[in-house]
Amino acid sequence: GFSAPLLSSPADVVKSRIMADNSGRYRNMLDCFLVTVKNEGVTALYKGFLPSWIRLAPWQLTFWVVYEELRKLSGMKGF
């Protein structure tokens, strides 16, 4: 539940900035990435990380607990 937002946040930030850019500030995704890091630092790529993680964490916990119980019920060994 932690690695998905960690790995996808930079791409989501770049995508959102390109979609919201009406002035033509960015030429492409790489340009947007580099301009963002240069002007705001690497941490700017993780804006929105916390809400994404908060949304995924309960789902992941529920999924893995249910998955393990179903494995046990079907006679398979747990991890």
Side-chain angles (χ1 to χ4, degrees):
F2 183 77
S3 60
L6 185 69
L7 296 173
S8 67
S9 283
D12 287 341
V13 168
V14 169
K15 175 193 64 102
S16 297
R17 288 179 182 224
I18 288 175
M19 290 175 66
D21 180 33
N22 294 327
S23 64
R25 179 178 180 187
Y26 307 113
R27 290 177 292 171
N28 53 42
M29 288 185 74
L30 181 60
D31 182 52
C32 180
F33 179 86
L34 295 173
V35 168
T36 301
V37 170
K38 181 181 176 184
N39 293 338
E40 300 177 49
V42 175
T43 56
L45 296 173
Y46 291 95
K47 290 181 177 179
F49 169 81
L50 190 60
S52 180
W53 180 71
I54 289 171
R55 180 180 58 82
L56 279 176
W59 185 89
Q60 288 289 325
L61 177 67
T62 304
F63 172 81
W64 288 112
V65 168
V66 170
Y67 179 70
E68 277 299 306
E69 290 303 314
L70 289 174
R71 284 178 58 92
K72 289 177 190 174
L73 289 172
S74 69
M76 299 173 81
K77 290 184 180 180
F79 286 107

